[in-house]
Amino acid sequence: MRLRSSSAAYLRHAGDLADNPGQQAAYDSQGHCVVLAGPGSGKTKTLILKLARMLAEDVRVPQGVACITYSQECARELKRRLEPLGLGEAQNLFVGTVHGFCLRHILMPYAHLADIGLPRRLAVATNRQADVAFKVVAERLFGLNQPHKRDDMGRYRRVHLDREAPDWEADPDLARISEGYEATLRRQGLIDYDDMVVCAHRLVSAHDWVLPAIAARWPILAVDEYQDLGVPLHRIVTRLAFEGGVRLFAVGDADQSVYGFAGSDGDLLLELAERHDIQRVRLELNYRCAGRIIEASEYALGETRGYRPYDEERLAVIRFVERPGGLADQAAYVIDTLIPEALAAKDERKLGDIAILYRNAAVGNAFADALMAAGIDFVRVDTGAPYRKVELTSWIEDCAGWCSGGWRRGRPQLDGLLTRWVRFRTSLSSEREANKAKNLVTAFLMRNRRDDGPAAPFVAAIRRDLVDPLAREEPSLHDQMEQVHRMGAAVTAGGKLEGLDLVGLGGRDGSPSHINLLTLHSSKGCEYDVVMMVGMDQGVIPWNNESGAELRESRRLFYVGLTRARDAVHLIYSGWIDGRYGPRTFGRSSFVEELETRLLAAGQE
């Protein structure tokens, strides 16, 4: 078989999988395959090489492979890992979020051909538009003091998918709000974020003709972080795979299912893996964590998984630290003691090899303020961040990275930036128009190359010349423009990122010179030499009064944090938290208490 040269680069790396039977089995799979991959098990490398092989051997342009994942950060990392194989922006490879795939490759091409109640030209509501619509409907139905939240409605819509089924009225109030809210958006010609998946499910489940249309364009569907994707996507995937003839390659870990509040369910992955018509592969070798961290993580999870360290000789540090002065005391200890120790412990270790993880943005605020006061650069990923990562803000960041020296290194690749730009523009109808759009971007990037300088003028220029005109032509990007506005405000005078330079903007997703500040949820899929889990107090993790499924999910979240570390984990607590009426003394996290007890007992055996 003759392989396309742009795709054959994967063969130089394929031999790396031979020593791992699980990775090799996944790589060699021919039909539907589910890979159950523990932390640090090399699942991303396996997925990347499998994508490259399927593109080279199993499809031909215009057919392609679609790879969907939960978050923009995960999609961006996959694209980075594909670039060395020449596939960062291959024309017949889609790598993006679930919502992006549903919008661009299910709803936009096919929704107007089916009667599912959507406007012909899809425009996505901004967060503010969605908030206003919800508030108006909820208050009209239940008065000014109505008790319902938009998040509750969103979760209800994602779980109760069949409007004709009896369970649609399981909560009559939320059902009525949902119907009124959707009608309000439709009158404005809008859909919201949840509509992208819910309506795609409605289209795929009710219209058989859609299945061969999608299969003709995307005969192979890969799903990363399957445990995070929820009921609507699970039903879309199973319908396409088992009734539509699409080949499925799914990767995930039910132990890292931590988005139950958003409707995800790790049991769906296990249910999928139990099917008789799917090859099930388990990855058990952990390349990331030292053995003691693996041992601690299984104690934290409360279940034995049998994961083994790749390097059995590596030593690890697990330290339990009480700082009784609260978050300010914890932050001072991290800055004055732990960060210098971590940097000194290993030659060439940088700030980017260290992460501070926490349960919520309120804890993150205390550490962001302290790091800023100490003059330590950091990247923050949580709801307290100046703007949210979406495709457009990530593209602007990567353009900044290219202009501030990336053009010399070839990372990010110019071709990738141009291809991503063209994919934003659904209105382009010819190759000539696409080339014209690419030339416009190339000219902008070439005249904005510089080694230093502030980020604010660059953001203003790229918005004026490229992004704002794009948004006027593409209503489907209106919700993303909300984050672009926030980016612009953040880098200007008085903003949270005032004074940020172009190099810093290009490294906003993490760079060697920035310490990483993330929620435990945002840390999923990341890895660092040293992890500092802060605010580990009862009443925060777990929350007070958690039980059942909620408590199990908090335990999994704690497990996720531990398994981000290669060499060292520091668990830092105060024994009390701030309450509405003053300090509340609940002690340190029960997870921390249990973990230290079990590690001490194991050390005495």
Side-chain angles (χ1 to χ4, degrees), residues 406-459:
W407 59 275
R408 295 191 189 94
R409 301 184 298 272
R411 293 193 68 182
Q413 294 178 350
L414 178 59
D415 284 348
L417 294 174
L418 300 180
T419 301
R420 286 158 65 187
W421 175 254
V422 168
R423 287 179 177 174
F424 287 132
R425 304 176 62 90
T426 59
S427 58
L428 296 180
S429 58
S430 67
E431 185 174 349
R432 180 180 179 182
E433 288 183 351
N435 288 334
K436 184 178 178 180
K438 289 181 178 181
N439 291 338
L440 186 67
V441 174
T442 301
F444 175 88
L445 295 176
M446 293 297 290
R447 67 175 178 265
N448 281 280
R449 290 184 299 173
R450 63 200 68 176
D451 290 329
D452 53 25
F458 177 85
V459 174

Side-chain angles (χ1 to χ4, degrees), residues 371-390:
L371 288 167
M372 194 174 298
I376 299 175
D377 290 333
F378 62 91
V379 173
R380 183 176 184 183
V381 183
D382 62 32
T383 56
Y387 56 88
R388 184 165 57 86
K389 300 282 187 178
V390 294

Side-chain angles (χ1 to χ4, degrees), residues 248-262:
L248 175 64
F249 187 84
V251 182
D253 180 8
D255 291 334
Q256 297 185 64
S257 177
V258 294
Y259 291 102
F261 61 88

